[in-house]
């Protein structure tokens, strides 16, 4: 498959060695099982029968005898593949998913950075799964539903790259977990000088302090529980000021007392506000909180424009859940559910890698390309890529990139009904979003 830039077989073998995973030489070893699992989540028919059929067809083309075919009654038996998926360690799939996101980040050049820095965006979502006893025990259904009337649901916290759209890290927990708790498990995956972008759910004193401690910065929407006073703070502009936040008097829920004790007594943050004016609707005031205090390097308009791109995380989650079909998982045990999520994220990152290669090769913004179209082209090109010799395969691969980059998606189609704000639309604290 055309993923050699992000996930060559050598990377898989290296990960197996690093994790000290031992396995027998059999038809469905970890590498073959992984390469079968990936097309399974990318296909519209996600059944194991369909996946095993593809493996059989490929091996038949290579004139390789399959042991199970000696018995005609076991020709379409999926037990060997299902058992192989059970043997795949979660740690291996999680490691490969994070490595692909990281390798794609390494391809980002200076021209794609925001004010010379990389931006990550964070958000939470949910996925459902089959109603089995084990799944219900580990990921209980919503408490508002009667027993037997709902499905187990897992809560996800995900960090995406704003530049490439790739998933960088994920945290999986039960439904009633607050987004901010998931986020605190994800900060460890930030790199120094990263900027984290998020909505008001993540705008807490402890989190801003933790992000600054990692030598990173944050841009969050101000939490609705905090009041806005224009009389306090150092004025930087017409709608821009520096304010000092004081440490809470009591330890907030979800924070360990030892962590609370180490927080600084005060932090200085920057507050930017503007208005969204849409004819026929009530004017909405938006306040942003950021640790980017240098107004010369990070202007008001730049920060407001950056927050407008926060909507991209909604599109990324929609691609994962709706385009690829991760919203309803198929596995019947908690361990397999987590593996399925990691493989979805791995497949999603590999598609983003194709989009990045296509966009940068043919000078089209990678985020303007269609992920659904990329998946369609990928699935249609796979038989030709597998059947071609190495020289011909390179030509087919270049053709694949060309057709992926052929028809960019319009900005309106990408943004939908979002309230994205372009920097040039902000004047004197007012935004006309009509």
């Amino acid at each position: 498959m055309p993923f050699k830039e992000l996930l060559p077989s050598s990377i898989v073998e290296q990960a197996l060695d690093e994790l000290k995973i031992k396995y027998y030489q059999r038809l469905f070893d970890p590498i073959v099982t992984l390469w079968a699992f990936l097309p399974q989540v990318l296909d519209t028919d996600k059944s194991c029968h369909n996946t095993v059929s593809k493996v059989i067809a490929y091996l038949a083309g290579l004139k390789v005898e399959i042991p199970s075919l000696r018995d005609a009654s076991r020709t379409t038996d999926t037990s060997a593949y299902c058992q192989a998926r059970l043997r795949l360690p979660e740690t291996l799939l999680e490691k490969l998913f994070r490595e692909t996101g990281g390798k794609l980040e390494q391809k980002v050049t200076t021209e794609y950075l925001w004010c010379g820095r990389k931006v990550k965006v964070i958000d939470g979502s949910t996925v459902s799964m089959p109603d089995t006893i084990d799944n219900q025990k580990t990921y209980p259904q919503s408490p508002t539903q009667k027993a037997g009337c709902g499905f187990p649901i897992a809560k996800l916290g995900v960090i995406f790259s704003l530049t490439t759209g790739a998933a960088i890290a994920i945290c999986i927990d039960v439904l009633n977990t607050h987004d901010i708790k998931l986020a605190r498990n994800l900060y460890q995956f930030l790199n120094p000088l990263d900027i984290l972008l998020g909505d008001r759910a993540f705008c807490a004193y402890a989190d801003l302090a933790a992000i600054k401690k990692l030598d990173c910065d944050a841009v969050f929407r101000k939490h609705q529980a905090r009041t806005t006073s224009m009389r306090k703070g150092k004025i930087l502009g017409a709608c821009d000021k520096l304010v000092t936040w004081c440490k809470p008097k009591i330890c907030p829920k979800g924070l360990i007392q030892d962590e609370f004790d180490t927080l600084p007594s005060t932090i200085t943050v920057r507050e930017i506000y503007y208005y969204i004016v849409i004819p026929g609707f009530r004017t909405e005031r938006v306040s942003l909180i950021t640790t980017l205090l240098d107004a010369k390097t990070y202007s008001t308009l730049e920060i407001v424009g950056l927050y407008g791109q926060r909507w991209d995380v909604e599109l990324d989650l929609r691609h994962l859940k709706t385009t690829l079909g991760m919203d309803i998982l198929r596995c019947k045990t908690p361990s397999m559910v987590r593996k399925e999520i990691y493989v979805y994220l791995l497949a999603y990152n590999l598609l983003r890698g194709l989009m990045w290669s296509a966009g940068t090769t043919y000078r089209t913004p990678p985020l303007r390309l269609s992920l659904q179209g990329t998946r369609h082209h990928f699935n249609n090109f796979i038989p030709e890529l597998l059947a071609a010799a190495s020289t011909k395969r390179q030509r087919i691969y270049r053709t694949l990139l060309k057709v992926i980059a052929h028809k960019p998606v319009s900005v309106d189609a990408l943004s939908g009904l979002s309230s994205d704000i372009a920097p040039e639309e902000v004047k004197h604290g007012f935004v006309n979003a009509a």
Side-chain angles (χ1 to χ4, degrees):
M1 289 187 286
F3 297 145
K4 63 179 182 179
E5 294 184 4
L6 290 184
L7 192 65
S9 295
S10 59
I11 294 295
V12 183
E13 294 169 353
Q14 181 182 348
L16 289 169
D17 291 338
E18 290 178 356
L19 296 173
K20 298 181 180 179
I21 297 172
K22 305 296 182 181
Y23 60 93
Y24 294 106
Q25 294 294 337
R26 61 180 91 192
L27 175 60
F28 286 108
D29 63 20
I31 296 178
V32 175
T33 305
L34 175 64
W35 292 119
F37 208 161
L38 281 169
Q40 182 177 9
V41 301
L42 289 174
D43 204 332
T44 53
D45 183 353
K46 302 181 186 300
S47 66
C48 291
H49 283 284
N50 181 51
T51 303
V52 172
S53 176
K54 287 183 177 181
V55 175
I56 293 174
Y58 174 63
L59 294 180
L62 296 178
K63 298 181 181 180
V64 175
E65 182 184 5
I66 302 174
S68 62
L69 291 181
R70 296 170 185 167
D71 181 359
S73 64
R74 299 177 59 194
T75 300
T76 59
D77 183 21
T78 61
S79 61
Y81 173 61
C82 292
Q83 291 173 21
R85 293 201 313 172
L86 285 172
R87 290 192 297 268
L88 274 179
E90 286 183 43
T91 52
L92 172 66
L93 300 177
E94 183 182 9
K95 180 180 179 64
L96 293 177
F97 136 66
R98 287 196 283 106
E99 285 194 0
T100 54
K103 289 189 69 175
L104 189 52
E105 277 290 279
Q106 294 173 8
K107 294 178 176 292
V108 176
T109 54
T110 306
E111 61 183 303
Y112 292 98
L113 301 179
W114 181 84
C115 294
R117 297 177 66 176
K118 293 183 178 180
V119 180
K120 306 297 194 318
V121 58
I122 188 171
D123 206 358
S125 189
T126 58
V127 291
S128 65
M129 62 199 73
D131 189 14
T132 64
I133 295 176
D134 289 340
N135 285 345
Q136 280 282 10
K137 184 178 180 180
T138 305
Y139 302 109
Q141 68 186 58
S142 172
T144 60
Q145 295 176 313
K146 293 184 179 180
C149 297
F151 289 89
I153 300 178
K155 185 74 173 286
L156 310 179
V158 192
I159 292 181
F160 292 91
S161 166
L162 189 66
T163 307
T164 65
I168 304 299
I170 188 171
C171 181
I172 308 171
D173 213 321
V174 297
L175 177 62
N176 61 355
T177 306
H178 195 281
D179 286 352
I180 206 167
K181 180 180 178 181
L182 297 173
R184 288 167 182 166
N185 292 324
L186 294 173
Y187 295 153
Q188 60 182 308
F189 300 108
L190 295 175
N191 297 318
L193 300 182
D194 279 350
I195 297 175
L196 187 62
L197 190 61
D199 62 19
R200 64 183 71 187
F202 307 99
C203 188
Y205 184 97
D207 293 77
L208 291 171
I211 292 170
K212 283 299 296 180
K213 190 175 181 179
L214 295 171
D215 198 21
C216 298
D217 285 292
V219 178
F220 297 146
R221 187 169 179 177
K222 188 176 183 178
H223 196 278
Q224 63 272 17
R226 282 190 175 270
T227 58
T228 300
S229 174
M230 302 316 301
R231 297 179 180 179
K232 297 180 180 179
K234 178 183 178 181
I235 302 299
L236 299 179
C239 51
D240 195 343
K241 64 177 181 177
L242 295 179
V243 295
T244 299
W245 283 9
C246 297
K247 179 179 176 180
K249 296 182 179 179
I250 58 175
C251 181
K253 292 182 179 180
L255 198 65
I256 301 175
Q257 186 64 44
D258 291 341
E259 297 175 339
F260 177 74
D261 293 339
T262 61
L263 293 178
S265 57
T266 62
I267 57 173
T268 300
V269 297
R270 185 174 169 193
E271 181 173 355
I272 298 171
Y273 69 94
Y274 57 92
Y275 297 89
I276 300 178
V277 182
I278 303 177
F281 294 85
R282 181 178 297 176
T283 299
E284 182 180 3
R285 175 171 173 157
V286 178
S287 292
L288 305 180
I289 298 297
T290 178
T291 56
L292 298 169
L293 307 184
D294 188 348
K296 292 183 179 180
T297 305
Y298 312 103
S299 69
T300 305
L301 300 183
E302 291 282 1
I303 292 177
V304 172
L306 176 63
Y307 186 76
Q309 298 179 57
R310 194 208 67 83
W311 179 257
D312 286 1
V313 71
E314 307 289 349
L315 301 177
D316 295 335
L317 288 170
R318 187 174 69 182
H319 282 316
L320 269 171
K321 296 177 62 177
T322 304
T323 305
L324 299 186
M326 196 182 78
D327 55 336
I328 302 177
L329 302 173
R330 301 171 62 89
C331 294
K332 299 181 180 180
T333 63
S335 176
M336 282 303 303
V337 161
R338 291 189 292 271
K339 293 179 189 179
E340 189 176 3
I341 292 173
Y342 292 138
V343 174
Y344 265 109
L345 291 167
L346 176 58
Y348 167 82
N349 280 355
L350 295 174
L351 288 181
R352 284 293 186 186
L354 282 178
M355 295 165 67
W356 183 264
S357 296
T360 53
T361 300
Y362 293 97
R363 299 192 178 280
T364 302
L367 295 182
R368 290 279 306 279
L369 302 180
S370 169
L371 189 133
Q372 179 73 292
T374 301
R375 185 182 72 155
H376 288 162
H377 293 313
F378 164 76
N379 286 333
N380 293 332
F381 271 71
I382 281 299
E384 300 299 325
L385 285 164
L386 293 177
S390 59
T391 304
K392 185 180 178 182
R393 189 180 299 123
Q394 288 298 322
R395 180 176 59 80
I396 296 175
Y397 175 70
R398 289 194 297 269
T399 304
L400 172 61
L401 296 184
K402 189 173 183 179
V403 296
I404 289 174
H406 174 63
K407 192 175 182 181
V409 180
S410 65
V411 176
D412 291 340
L414 285 172
S415 61
L417 298 177
S418 72
S419 58
D420 290 359
I421 307 301
E424 61 271 13
E425 293 176 316
V426 185
K427 294 182 179 179
H428 305 300
F430 291 87
V431 176
N432 190 337

